[in-house]
Amino acid sequence: MWPLTALSIFAFAGIIERCVFWISLLRHEDKTTKHILATAHQDLAIAADYAKAADKTPIGRFLYAPLALENPDPDLFRLALESAADNELSNMMRGEKLLEAAITLAPLLGLLGTVTGLIISFSSLRVGDAIANAKTGNIAQGIGEALITTASGLLVAIVASGFHRLFLAFHAGQVQLFTKAGNELELIYRQTWQRQQTRKESESID
């Protein structure tokens, strides 16, 4: 039970940390994204300043990465978006490894505790005293105590698995948000860049 207790403490600490992370992330994210993209339609430089001011949020850092470049071509702009997205989305999964370990190890530790408990219970019995122990309920009591670790391990795994699935759903939502925001920002930049190129060509002809 001691390793299982330690694992459950780490798992619940990880769950609390992930809950705080996702709550703080989702609270103002949609507003920040809309504000930066709406500004980008008007002025990319001002949008870059807004994104830089929101650098404590993943979406802010993601949108600022390409906007921080000095007049990049559209392919480089897209590459900066993809690189920033990969970095931010992978960082969001840092706490998930602990929950995955709890989901895998907790039932195994519980089963190990049950097996060792049964071994100790049966090894303490004598053949001649088996009937007497059965009548007094010692065997049933020992088996019941041994099964506590299995139940505890399953409980820890079920709780960790439930929160893990919830956090994966949040992460999938982030992937969709990053894709949508990145595509919109790239489209805005391509249109702006094309207008600049057309203007330069007109000025060179004149």
Side-chain angles (χ1 to χ4, degrees):
M1 283 295 292
W2 289 112
L4 185 57
T5 302
L7 181 63
S8 64
I9 292 174
F10 283 116
F12 291 134
I15 289 172
I16 293 174
E17 187 274 332
R18 290 285 88 190
C19 286
V20 173
F21 170 79
W22 285 111
I23 291 173
S24 62
L25 174 64
L26 299 174
R27 183 175 298 175
H28 305 294
E29 185 179 55
D30 188 58
K31 181 180 179 180
T32 301
T33 305
K34 291 181 179 179
H35 184 54
I36 295 173
L37 292 177
T39 307
H41 282 282
Q42 307 298 325
D43 193 316
L44 288 173
I46 298 177
D49 293 335
Y50 285 143
K52 185 178 181 180
D55 63 352
K56 292 184 179 180
T57 62
I59 192 66
R61 293 190 295 269
F62 164 65
L63 296 176
Y64 178 69
L67 292 173
L69 301 176
E70 295 184 6
N71 195 30
D73 61 78
D75 291 335
L76 182 59
F77 191 89
R78 181 180 180 83
L79 181 62
L81 274 174
E82 292 175 350
S83 177
D86 291 340
N87 183 53
E88 294 298 333
L89 291 173
S90 63
N91 287 337
M92 292 180 188
M93 298 294 291
R94 286 181 301 179
E96 305 301 322
K97 297 299 181 182
L98 180 59
L99 294 182
E100 292 176 2
I103 294 170
T104 303
L105 294 178
L108 296 178
L109 287 174
L111 183 60
L112 177 62
T114 296
V115 172
T116 55
L118 290 176
I119 292 174
I120 294 173
S121 297
F122 286 119
S123 63
S124 63
L125 298 177
R126 295 181 180 177
V127 177
D129 297 334
I131 298 178
N133 282 285
K135 291 181 179 180
T136 59
N138 290 338
I139 296 178
Q141 181 179 358
I143 294 174
E145 291 178 355
L147 291 174
I148 292 176
T149 56
T150 297
S152 301
L154 290 174
L155 178 62
V156 172
I158 290 171
V159 174
S161 179
F163 278 99
H164 181 56
R165 293 296 180 182
L166 177 63
F167 299 149
L168 288 179
F170 288 155
H171 186 268
Q174 290 297 301
V175 173
Q176 294 179 355
L177 175 65
F178 274 49
T179 301
K180 181 180 178 180
N183 290 340
E184 184 174 348
L185 183 62
E186 182 185 1
L187 179 60
I188 295 171
Y189 183 78
R190 284 183 179 272
Q191 293 173 339
T192 304
W193 189 81
Q194 187 62 43
R195 287 195 297 266
Q196 291 176 348
Q197 295 301 111
T198 304
R199 189 180 303 114
K200 289 180 180 178
E201 291 176 0
S202 301
E203 291 175 354
S204 63
I205 293 175
D206 295 338

